[in-house]
Amino acid sequence: MVIRRALIVDAMLGSLARKLRIYGFDTVYDKDSEDSSMLVAAKTESRTLVTCDKELHKLAVQRNLQSILLNKGLEVEKMVEVISGLDLKPLRICPEESRCPLCNGDLIGVSNLIAPSSIPQSIRQRHQRFYICRLCGKSYWEGSHWEKISSFSADVEERLSLQ
Ligand SMILES: [Zn+2]
């Protein structure tokens, strides 16, 4: 299992924050968070700041905090910058290590035999493995959304290999 730094992501990067959680990063994200409170959380919780904001990055560096300044490019490029910035390449998505994209909770993997009955039976029959968030209770499985995230992950991996 790869040891991942805990992160705090700036308010502009909500979609990236959800993907970082799927990649298994403990990621604090709040769309209403102020710069000052993010810097405090980065320090007290030893989180690496991930931001597109040059000023915020500068403030973090002045306070001796770890910070990754992203370019304003595609999301896939941002993910590559985070993974190589943390020296974790090549990092792949492993659902057993993913966190809940909505709330950052830990996911527990369960077989379809004990998957919650709130998941329609037709889906429980088609998939072997389900992941349930310990915090918010949301269930995940490798459905159609999974195909999008795996092609995103394949794109990230290819770009990392070209670096
Ligand atoms: Zn959750």
Side-chain angles (χ1 to χ4, degrees), residues 99-107 132-140:
R99 301 177 75 97
C100 177
L102 289 184
C103 79
N104 196 38
D106 273 327
L107 298 181
I132 303 171
C133 176
R134 284 181 204 265
L135 266 186
C136 74
K138 194 170 159 54
S139 331
Y140 299 93

Side-chain angles (χ1 to χ4, degrees), residues 66-100:
Q66 271 205 12
S67 177
I68 299 174
L69 178 64
L70 302 179
N71 292 306
K72 290 185 168 41
L74 298 171
E75 194 167 67
V76 64
E77 294 168 347
K78 293 191 173 83
M79 186 60 82
V80 167
E81 287 169 355
V82 174
I83 293 172
S84 44
L86 293 169
D87 215 6
L88 289 177
K89 86 184 204 190
L91 183 68
R92 293 182 187 90
I93 294 175
C94 167
E96 299 290 335
E97 295 178 13
S98 290
R99 301 177 75 97
C100 177

Side-chain angles (χ1 to χ4, degrees), residues 39 49 56-67:
L39 292 170
L49 177 71
L56 180 59
H57 173 72
K58 225 165 84 184
L59 289 172
V61 172
Q62 282 167 358
R63 288 166 170 72
N64 286 322
L65 300 171
Q66 271 205 12
S67 177

Side-chain angles (χ1 to χ4, degrees), residues 7-22 27-33 35 38 48-54 56-57 67-79 81-82 101 152:
L7 306 176
I8 183 161
V9 171
D10 91 31
M12 307 290 287
L13 298 170
S15 167
L16 183 73
R18 287 190 291 278
K19 288 197 176 64
L20 286 164
R21 289 168 177 165
I22 296 171
T27 304
V28 165
Y29 169 76
D30 175 0
K31 65 176 171 43
D32 299 318
S33 58
D35 289 0
M38 280 199 292
T48 298
L49 177 71
V50 176
T51 182
C52 277
D53 180 337
K54 276 190 191 145
L56 180 59
H57 173 72
S67 177
I68 299 174
L69 178 64
L70 302 179
N71 292 306
K72 290 185 168 41
L74 298 171
E75 194 167 67
V76 64
E77 294 168 347
K78 293 191 173 83
M79 186 60 82
E81 287 169 355
V82 174
F152 178 87

